[in-house]
Amino acid sequence: MTATSRPTSRDVAHEAGVSQSTVSLVLGGKWAGRVSPATVATVQAAAERLGYRPNPAARSLRLGTTRTVMLMVPTLTAPFFGSVYAGAAREAARHGLGVVVYPWPDDAGPADSPFATPHEAIDGILASSMPEEVVERFHGTPVVMLDSDPGGRFPTVNFGVADGMRALVAHLAGLGHRRFGHVAATVHQWTFHTRHAALAAAVAEAGGTLARAAGALDITEAKDAAGRLLDAAPDPAARPTALVCDDDLMAAGAYKAARARGLEVPADLSVTGMDDVLLATALEPELTTVRLPAEELGAEGMRSLLTLLNGTRPEPRTLPGELVVRASTRATGR
Amino acid sequence: MTATSRPTSRDVAHEAGVSQSTVSLVLGGKWAGRVSPATVATVQAAAERLGYRPNPAARSLRLGTTRTVMLMVPTLTAPFFGSVYAGAAREAARHGLGVVVYPWPDDAGPADSPFATPHEAIDGILASSMPEEVVERFHGTPVVMLDSDPGGRFPTVNFGVADGMRALVAHLAGLGHRRFGHVAATVHQWTFHTRHAALAAAVAEAGGTLARAAGALDITEAKDAAGRLLDAAPDPAARPTALVCDDDLMAAGAYKAARARGLEVPADLSVTGMDDVLLATALEPELTTVRLPAEELGAEGMRSLLTLLNGTRPEPRTLPGELVVRASTRATGR
DNA sequence: TTGAAAGCGCTAACAG
DNA sequence: CTGTTAGCGCTTTCAA
């Protein structure tokens, strides 16, 4: 071996005085009944001494497998997807797999198609909150979709967002609210379509009314949308008493709209979010919301992908959300 | 080729009626003056028809290079690091490199020993906000440290956090503040040590006093720390009039401590953060802080790493922060 | 119980 | 201008 480059299994073999294939057997843990314990010890010592690390490229070339899966997310700038990663990576590590994150399309700049750069060689894909088309270009690679339409061609793991919306409305209705406003996100993702439909249904069932205003998933647009809802009724007595926001970030915008009009949350207006990210407890008052277990989504998705990699298509799974009542909701005045 | 597996360059060669090495030359873009244009066209058509993609494992085995660099971050659950990734990935893509993210140690669970997971083969490492020791295990791999002590053995790219602190204190002093409180993070990272030292120096220079309370980097602990600062003085007239927080998240805790005591921000108390993450504009009042360009840190770090990969050690770089005055600071009463 | 050898798909030196 | 060939480091038969 040269002094500069990484030691190979051949170097270890030479150091231990055995053949290279014996080294491979030993370090691969496949020596039971094929190599004497004494030799095993010698080889392990030699590997240790040299600081040997198998070359993953060679291994994957030989095996045709990379023991790496790709997690596709819309962006890494939302902490939610960091949690999804954490769950997926933890579960993957338990099975000796690595996870590479691939934000698409936002983060890496304009149009770097998956094919433009020599992207990772991977055994499977976990795609969170992505349109199905994006993933269809990876022909033949096993895919599990997270937070996506369960009616698609790939196995899915989802949150029970519809139940979450129902729980929110039930909570609010129990507090006496009947006039609801929906601060909606104009984002074409399954989860938002589902939230919208479930909210409408739940409000109808509770005998309430629902006004809707929509904007992009950011604070300013949410503030504007909430403002429109608050200003719509000429008579304050016809104004919504509760604003159901599509996620926690939009709820922050709703807070701002309320304060700008001299309305106090929750005394004059109840506000709810969904997701339960860090922001929910940073706001004041702390936000009533539905906790969506992001880490668990990643972990459960990884389990499904492992099942798929083993050759059986996993059942669709739904992870329940949990209503978290904090300080942004209160009974209506009278 | 079998019907199921990916086509190889040999399949393309067969399809095009040329040798495999010609395919390699053409698809590698190295054919100028060595292969006839007609043959090139034939080969490209065949590759297209077959949907050929070179096998990265084989390529990297042959080349001894992976065209992939690793970004190490403490966690992906803080949106800051998502932005660092975005900047790094964008810059890397311009040079045909990929970036894999490696959160350590938080996210992926317990102690994955170097032998436990076959982690990525990589050409270089970008380590953000990490202790140097963590990175030293990757002997011989080129490293650039981000947001780290510039006195270490590796090249660095940093924020001008000291200047940032000075700008904050100058702004506050200009508003008449003299009694400062420091809501400090008990995190052993270069950036926080630097913030602490710069703040102390700036306050001294402004002729002010500085009380300090510390806690972990979360809202609850920040609230407690800020509360201690606010409660320390028996006489309210001796209380700090401005709370300088180590980052935006801690500022959110300071808001809570203030409100819990009936103090209004900024009328009764000015509060500042640092980083300028999304939270800064979600809070009310919006937070005066220092914008630290996270994406630019990632991009500049990648440029430095590319320089290092080309064989020359890059100069240390410092990216200036920018004071962003919003609504959480105001002149003292009188 | 161990070693020899083949070959994964690719690049590049060299021959023709 | 194009083809032949060696070999990157590894796993896995097969033979000894």
Side-chain angles (χ1 to χ4, degrees):
Chain A
M1 73 175 276
T2 67
T4 59
S5 68
R6 270 171 56 155
T8 71
S9 62
R10 209 205 293 292
D11 298 322
V12 177
H14 188 252
E15 173 86 7
V18 299
S19 80
Q20 183 268 333
S21 59
T22 300
V23 171
S24 183
L25 249 20
V26 170
L27 268 22
K30 300 232 165 77
W31 55 273
R34 339 239 274 96
V35 179
S36 72
T39 308
V40 169
T42 314
V43 169
Q44 285 172 339
E48 179 84 11
R49 209 170 326 128
L50 261 30
Y52 170 73
R53 313 252 33 240
N55 179 322
R59 185 202 296 255
S60 96
L61 179 58
R62 178 65 235 246
L63 261 23
T65 194
T66 59
R67 302 207 65 76
T68 300
V69 308
M70 181 172 83
L71 174 66
M72 289 183 84
V73 296
T75 176
L76 234 30
T77 311
F80 177 84
F81 295 107
S83 299
V84 174
Y85 171 85
R90 181 166 29 76
E91 193 61 26
R94 302 193 336 114
H95 298 267
L97 296 198
V99 179
V100 306
V101 195
Y102 185 53
W104 190 96
D106 294 23
D107 285 344
D112 78 330
S113 103
F115 297 98
T117 25
H119 72 287
E120 300 310 306
I122 48 165
D123 292 345
I125 297 175
L126 219 47
S128 181
S129 319
M130 307 282 299
E132 206 167 54
E133 308 83 76
V134 170
V135 124
E136 271 164 354
R137 318 161 39 158
F138 295 82
H139 310 99
T141 308
V143 173
V144 169
M145 308 278 297
L146 269 26
D147 187 34
S148 304
D149 189 346
R153 17 179 316 217
F154 301 113
T156 53
V157 179
N158 280 312
F159 292 127
V161 287
D163 281 344
M165 271 296 181
R166 282 190 277 272
L168 244 16
V169 171
H171 165 67
L172 256 9
L175 256 22
H177 294 275
R178 290 298 177 271
R179 294 192 306 282
F180 296 87
H182 180 192
V183 181
T186 52
V187 174
H188 295 301
Q189 285 179 8
W190 169 84
T191 191
F192 290 109
H193 295 311
T194 306
R195 292 172 196 201
H196 298 182
L199 174 60
V203 167
E205 193 177 334
T209 62
L210 181 68
R212 169 171 300 174
L217 210 49
D218 77 45
I219 296 179
T220 311
E221 296 222 9
K223 178 182 176 183
D224 291 346
R228 271 176 269 136
L229 254 17
L230 261 15
D231 296 338
D235 175 10
R239 201 166 51 198
T241 61
L243 254 27
V244 177
C245 305
D246 260 350
D247 80 346
D248 294 351
L249 189 66
M250 300 199 85
Y255 277 35
K256 285 177 181 279
R259 294 239 171 96
R261 286 162 181 76
L263 263 25
E264 203 188 317
V265 177
D268 304 314
L269 180 73
S270 287
V271 174
T272 65
M274 169 121 23
D275 284 359
D276 196 26
V277 292
L278 182 63
L279 184 60
T281 54
L283 293 176
E284 280 209 304
E286 297 194 355
L287 186 66
T288 293
T289 187
V290 171
R291 174 173 303 149
L292 266 21
E295 275 208 39
E296 188 54 25
L297 184 77
E300 189 62 35
M302 186 57 70
R303 277 179 224 119
S304 287
L305 184 55
L306 289 165
T307 303
L308 187 59
L309 257 17
N310 281 339
T312 65
R313 185 185 167 106
E315 291 300 309
R317 297 266 292 122
T318 297
L319 309 178
E322 179 197 357
L323 177 67
V324 182
V325 177
R326 297 206 181 91
S328 68
T329 47
R330 183 180 293 179
T332 48
R334 77 226 76 242
Chain B
M1 72 175 275
T2 67
T4 59
S5 68
R6 270 171 55 155
T8 72
S9 62
R10 209 204 294 292
D11 297 322
V12 176
H14 188 253
E15 172 85 7
V18 299
S19 80
Q20 185 270 331
S21 62
T22 301
V23 172
S24 182
L25 246 23
V26 171
L27 268 23
K30 302 235 165 74
W31 56 272
R34 337 239 274 95
V35 179
S36 72
T39 307
V40 169
T42 314
V43 169
Q44 284 172 338
E48 179 85 9
R49 211 170 324 128
L50 262 30
Y52 169 74
R53 308 251 50 234
N55 178 322
R59 183 203 297 254
S60 96
L61 179 58
R62 178 65 237 243
L63 261 22
T65 194
T66 59
R67 301 206 66 74
T68 300
V69 309
M70 181 172 84
L71 173 67
M72 290 184 83
V73 295
T75 176
L76 234 29
T77 312
F80 178 84
F81 295 106
S83 299
V84 174
Y85 171 85
R90 179 167 30 76
E91 193 60 26
R94 302 193 337 115
H95 297 266
L97 297 197
V99 179
V100 306
V101 196
Y102 184 51
W104 188 98
D106 294 23
D107 286 343
D112 67 339
S113 102
F115 290 95
T117 359
H119 72 286
E120 298 312 305
I122 47 165
D123 291 344
I125 297 176
L126 218 47
S128 181
S129 318
M130 306 283 299
E132 207 167 54
E133 308 85 75
V134 170
V135 125
E136 272 163 355
R137 320 176 346 176
F138 297 82
H139 310 98
T141 308
V143 173
V144 168
M145 308 278 296
L146 268 26
D147 187 34
S148 304
D149 189 346
R153 17 180 316 218
F154 302 113
T156 54
V157 179
N158 281 313
F159 292 127
V161 287
D163 281 343
M165 272 296 181
R166 281 189 278 272
L168 244 16
V169 171
H171 164 67
L172 256 10
L175 256 22
H177 295 274
R178 289 298 175 273
R179 294 193 306 282
F180 296 87
H182 180 193
V183 180
T186 52
V187 173
H188 295 302
Q189 283 179 10
W190 169 85
T191 191
F192 291 109
H193 296 311
T194 306
R195 291 172 197 202
H196 298 181
L199 175 60
V203 167
E205 194 176 334
T209 62
L210 180 68
R212 170 171 300 174
L217 208 49
D218 76 46
I219 296 178
T220 312
E221 296 221 9
K223 177 183 177 182
D224 292 346
R228 272 176 268 135
L229 255 16
L230 261 16
D231 295 338
D235 176 10
R239 202 166 49 197
T241 61
L243 255 26
V244 177
C245 305
D246 260 350
D247 81 345
D248 295 350
L249 188 65
M250 302 200 83
Y255 276 36
K256 285 177 181 280
R259 295 239 171 96
R261 285 160 182 77
L263 262 26
E264 202 188 319
V265 177
D268 304 314
L269 180 73
S270 286
V271 174
T272 65
M274 171 124 19
D275 285 359
D276 196 28
V277 292
L278 182 64
L279 185 59
T281 53
L283 292 175
E284 280 207 307
E286 299 195 353
L287 185 67
T288 293
T289 187
V290 171
R291 173 173 304 149
L292 266 20
E295 275 208 39
E296 188 54 26
L297 184 77
E300 190 61 36
M302 185 58 69
R303 276 178 225 120
S304 287
L305 185 55
L306 289 165
T307 304
L308 187 59
L309 258 15
N310 281 339
T312 65
R313 185 184 167 106
E315 291 301 308
R317 296 266 291 123
T318 298
L319 309 179
E322 180 197 356
L323 177 66
V324 181
V325 176
R326 295 206 181 92
S328 68
T329 47
R330 182 181 294 179
T332 49
R334 74 224 75 242

